[in-house]
């Protein structure tokens, strides 16, 4: 993992990581504390196109990824805290863009994520049971972890601490580099 360099520009400040790691909730909180705008790319896509699960049903994942890439490009142009969807980092253009950004990776254990998944509206985790959803989550994470790790400047685990405490740690990291 590259080390943070205080000479590098802070923006964009981007939160990445697996589904239900806390990117949306914690990113919003970080933005509030830093008094910056907050952008969640999934939220933007949903405002313009309807719920994510309906986009997957209607048009398929590939179409969602096109919309997602457009939302990411737009978001990264702003001085904001930007939380991405878990799969946004699969796009090679986004990987290149994130190499120039400040990137915070949020991680979470499978045990903790299991409690966060019920009725989550995440089409890739649609399953009969919570344990099946967690198995899917794990398989997807195993595939993506090398990408997350290659892009991250710093990482925080969200499995067992409150959202506010994790957000404060991220803010301290940001302030330490600016
Ligand atoms: N540190 C945490 N402790 C407990 N629950 C959390 C924590 N962070 C997030 N959650 C919960 O997990 C769920 C997923 O959070 P969310 O921010 O939507 O994750 P992501 O955007 O990474 O998919 C939400 O219900 C949220 O309240
Ligand atoms: O990991 C993924 O491929 C996805 C993650 C979701 O966002 P969160 O990571 O915020 O749940 C959302 O973009 C979509 O359901 C696909
Ligand atoms: Mg999210």
């Amino acid at each position: 993992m590259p080390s943070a360099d205080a000479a590098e520009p802070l923006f964009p400040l981007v939160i990445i990581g697996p589904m239900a790691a806390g990117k949306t909730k914690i990113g919003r909180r970080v933005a509030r504390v830093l008094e910056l705008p907050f952008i969640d790319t999934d939220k933007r896509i949903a405002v313009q196109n309807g719920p994510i699960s309906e986009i997957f049903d209607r048009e398929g994942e590939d179409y969602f990824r096109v919309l997602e890439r457009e939302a990411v490009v737009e978001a990264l142009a702003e001085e904001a805290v930007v939380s991405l969807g878990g799969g946004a980092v699969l796009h090679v253009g986004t990987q290149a863009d994130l190499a120039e950004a400040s990137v915070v990776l949020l991680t979470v254990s499978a045990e903790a994520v299991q409690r966060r998944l019920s009725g989550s509206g995440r089409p890739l985790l649609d399953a009969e049971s919570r344990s099946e959803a967690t198995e899917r989550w794990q398989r997807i994470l195993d595939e993506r972890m090398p990408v997350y790790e290659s892009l991250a400047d710093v990482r925080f685990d969200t499995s067992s601490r409150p959202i506010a405490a994790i957000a404060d740690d991220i803010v301290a990291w940001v302030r330490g580099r600016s």
Side-chain angles (χ1 to χ4, degrees), residues 55-119:
I55 301 169
F56 270 71
D57 281 353
R58 222 173 40 228
E59 327 268 5
E61 179 174 351
D62 289 353
Y63 182 71
F64 171 75
R65 296 298 173 199
V66 172
L67 298 178
E68 182 174 54
R69 173 61 183 155
E70 288 168 4
V72 169
V73 169
E74 231 181 79
L76 295 185
E78 296 184 36
E79 282 209 356
V81 178
V82 179
S83 290
L84 301 184
V89 298
L90 299 176
H91 194 288
V92 290
T94 297
Q95 291 172 11
D97 292 343
L98 293 191
E100 311 294 319
S102 301
V103 181
V104 175
L105 169 61
L106 297 184
T107 58
V108 60
S109 67
E111 292 72 26
V113 99
Q114 191 154 9
R115 293 190 290 275
R116 301 181 189 176
L117 289 184
S118 70

Side-chain angles (χ1 to χ4, degrees), residues 16-25 40-43 45 52-53 56 61 64-65 68 83-90 117 120-125 137 140 144 148:
I16 65 169
M19 287 178 267
K23 301 179 297 296
T24 298
K25 295 269 178 168
D40 184 84
T41 51
D42 282 330
K43 180 77 202 276
I45 294 165
I52 305 290
S53 56
F56 270 71
E61 179 174 351
F64 171 75
R65 296 298 173 199
E68 182 174 54
S83 290
L84 301 184
V89 298
L90 299 176
L117 289 184
S120 70
R122 293 178 179 88
L124 295 179
L125 302 179
W137 177 90
I140 293 169
R144 293 178 181 170
Y148 290 139

Side-chain angles (χ1 to χ4, degrees), residues 4-10 177-178:
D5 176 349
E8 283 174 21
L10 174 63
R177 19 174 352 211
S178 47

